[in-house]
Amino acid sequence: MARPTIADIARRAGVSKGAVSFALNGRPGVSDTTRARILRVAEEMNWRPHSAARALGGARAGAVGLVLARPARTIGLEPFFSQLLSGLQAGLSTRGTALNLLVVEDTAAEIEVYRRWTSEHRVDGFVLVDLQVRDPRIPVLEELGVPTTVLGGPGRHGSLPSVWADDREAMVSIVDYLAALGHRRIAHLAGLPAFQHTQRRIRAVRDSARRLGLTEAVSLPTDFSDAEGAAATRALLARSQRPTAIIYDSDVMAVAGLGVATEMGVAVPGELSIVSFDDSALARIVHPSLTALSRDTFALGEQVARELLAVVDDPASARDVKNPTPRLTVRESTAPPALDGTGS
């Protein structure tokens, strides 16, 4: 059924379109009786104001946008994103604001959505995630002038405000912990190499290895999926000198890696220690439970929502907000390396 228009309401109520416009917008120009009749007809027809028309009149769209250029399958598997999205929506709901989520195939498609939603006045602002190296989205969003809050940092996001945590400091805490246990051969299964946070984590592993005098610390990029996490783990454990500890950039990959170790007869933590950069119920319910970096991802989403709504209300309130660095929660998957010569 076609969306009812002001003209449809005018015909049914037996008045002019101008009278309908006055009544629906609470403006003078019609009698109380006529106004009541128009509003009753509009309710019967389930009429709602068109978001673009309201925006052109200065009203807000009542929604913010989040566009993700990641494989939909991997997003659906990641507890991090489900908790982030839940927190975002919870934070937005306090103001009756909706979250418009769209998953696209690449960055070019993502930029096109930003341009289209802005021109159509579909959203009041955007949440930007997965900051890239030399990110082409930043100048586009600055040009469009739509309130935007970046999840990630620090820096390298132009004039856009951000909510961020120190990925480098968090990764350093993992490597320091593993080195203190006695591990000298460490592998890192990283995320997508185009992401700034992936590069920060890789540099943190490399720099920590030099500082601590580790024998080896290799970082291997993946797409965050369980399939690539499993394949990379299998290749690492098949080496003649395999790592004694592996750090995974997501808990989904860490659980997949644990499964591969079990399949190959590599005892965790007896012969291999496993650490996940993300913590969720997955890390806690597997056996052995996984040592992981813990943070309240739901609360992070709520904070991003609050910061974006504040910028929508007052662009001058834009600021960079640092979140507490995730803390390492030690569980059963880490221990000192075995001294049997298999990889220590």
Side-chain angles (χ1 to χ4, degrees):
M1 181 180 293
R3 180 191 187 107
T5 65
I6 286 179
D8 296 328
I9 297 171
R11 279 193 296 271
R12 181 176 295 190
V15 298
S16 68
K17 290 190 292 184
V20 173
S21 178
F22 288 151
L24 295 178
N25 289 289
R27 294 163 55 193
V30 294
S31 68
D32 291 344
T33 302
T34 300
R35 186 186 308 277
R37 182 168 80 253
I38 291 171
L39 293 176
R40 184 176 66 253
V41 169
E43 182 66 26
E44 291 171 353
M45 298 181 71
N46 197 30
W47 178 85
R48 296 291 183 272
H50 192 284
S51 60
R54 292 177 70 241
L56 287 171
R60 290 180 179 171
V64 301
L66 173 61
V67 188
L68 299 174
R70 280 201 190 194
R73 184 181 299 274
T74 61
I75 292 172
L77 288 173
E78 285 193 39
F80 173 85
F81 269 110
S82 64
Q83 287 296 302
L84 177 67
L85 292 175
S86 297
L88 277 171
Q89 188 60 79
L92 295 171
S93 294
T94 62
R95 293 273 297 278
T97 301
L99 177 65
N100 288 354
L101 171 66
L102 188 63
V103 180
V104 296
E105 63 274 16
D106 55 31
T107 300
E110 183 179 345
I111 289 174
E112 176 56 31
V113 172
Y114 293 141
R115 293 190 183 280
R116 186 174 75 251
W117 283 5
T118 299
S119 66
E120 295 173 355
H121 304 280
R122 292 275 297 277
V123 297
D124 299 315
F126 291 106
V127 176
L128 183 67
V129 300
D130 291 336
L131 277 175
Q132 302 172 23
V133 178
R134 294 181 292 278
D135 200 317
R137 301 170 300 172
I138 301 299
V140 171
L141 287 164
E142 289 178 319
E143 170 200 335
L144 293 173
V146 180
T148 301
T149 295
V150 176
L151 176 56
R156 299 186 183 178
H157 45 76
S159 61
L160 304 180
S162 69
V163 175
W164 64 283
D166 195 331
D167 279 351
R168 178 182 176 83
E169 182 181 345
M171 181 60 83
V172 167
S173 73
I174 295 177
V175 181
D176 282 352
Y177 167 69
L178 292 172
L181 287 177
H183 292 278
R184 317 310 294 171
R185 304 182 67 86
I186 295 174
H188 167 217
L189 293 195
L192 293 164
F195 292 166
Q196 286 188 26
H197 62 73
T198 298
Q199 293 298 324
R200 281 196 298 273
R201 296 176 192 181
I202 289 174
R203 286 194 297 271
V205 171
R206 180 194 62 207
D207 295 346
S208 295
R210 290 174 180 167
R211 173 174 53 84
L212 297 166
L214 302 186
T215 304
E216 181 182 38
V218 59
S219 291
L220 304 175
T222 73
D223 66 356
F224 290 106
S225 71
D226 56 328
E228 286 205 10
T233 301
R234 192 170 288 111
L236 287 168
L237 297 184
R239 292 180 176 183
S240 57
Q241 285 190 306
R242 64 187 182 224
T244 61
I246 302 179
I247 305 166
Y248 294 85
D249 265 9
S250 78
D251 43 8
V252 170
M253 289 202 298
V255 171
L258 176 61
V260 168
T262 301
E263 163 202 318
M264 298 179 67
V266 178
V268 176
E271 299 174 80
L272 176 70
S273 285
I274 288 178
V275 181
S276 172
F277 202 91
D278 283 332
D279 195 6
S280 72
L282 276 180
R284 297 188 292 273
I285 64 177
V286 295
H287 180 73
S289 57
L290 301 180
T291 294
L293 284 175
S294 301
R295 64 178 163 191
D296 190 339
T297 306
F298 183 91
L300 175 65
E302 287 185 306
Q303 184 175 24
V304 172
R306 287 194 301 271
E307 292 299 321
L308 177 55
L309 291 174
V311 176
V312 170
D313 288 340
D314 178 13
S317 70
R319 58 178 185 159
D320 291 329
V321 179
K322 183 179 180 181
N323 255 11
T325 302
R327 295 295 186 89
L328 193 63
T329 299
V330 177
R331 299 195 181 99
E332 300 169 341
S333 66
T334 49
L339 300 178
D340 59 3
T342 58
S344 56

